[in-house]
Amino acid sequence: MNIAKASFVAAPALMAGYGVVRLTDSEHSPGFVWTFGHLLMLASLVMFGWVFAGLRGAVPGRNAKVFGAIGFVGLGAVIVQICADIVVGFMSSDAATKDHNFERFQEIPGVLPVVYTVVPVLFYVGLLGLTISAAVVRPRPLPWWTPVLILVGTAVAGVSLDYIPEAGVLYLIAFLPLVLRTPRVALASA
């Protein structure tokens, strides 16, 4: 199994792992659990880079290039967000200090839209666009229900971060067709 194919399992599984770890820390205090959870999510995001590359390689055409680029821009913003969370966690001795440090970071002009509210959404737009493209091209690397599960997983996590484990499981199920069979269109190897 190449890294692109393995990423379709690893990315959502690590994301679900982050969600489970996050649920064990009810106060979301800095420390080992906070850092471990965020490192899981960072690893997930790295794997999502290969997911984007694999989907992009499976779908011909300009739309896939555009959605791939959009997804990578959003991915970059989410990686910065997770890295900022890790750094703030290291700089903070307790939850109150962590919250104060986050406020200071988010007060920097441009940080809120670029790292937290606007640009990160492009990650999900790119992922959904690539999976829709992969579900409609011929031959189809993905079934019609893959983008539906991606959309539902994204919406579930958007309702509450407490549902990140469920979103990870939905993403994993969505990608299973690429893992369980050899698609007629080869995935890009990284």
Side-chain angles (χ1 to χ4, degrees), residues 140-157:
R140 282 190 202 148
L142 290 172
W144 65 268
W145 47 265
T146 292
V148 173
L149 289 178
I150 295 296
L151 180 61
V152 171
T154 301
V156 162

Side-chain angles (χ1 to χ4, degrees), residues 8-19:
F8 288 104
V9 173
L14 288 163
M15 182 174 116
Y18 160 72

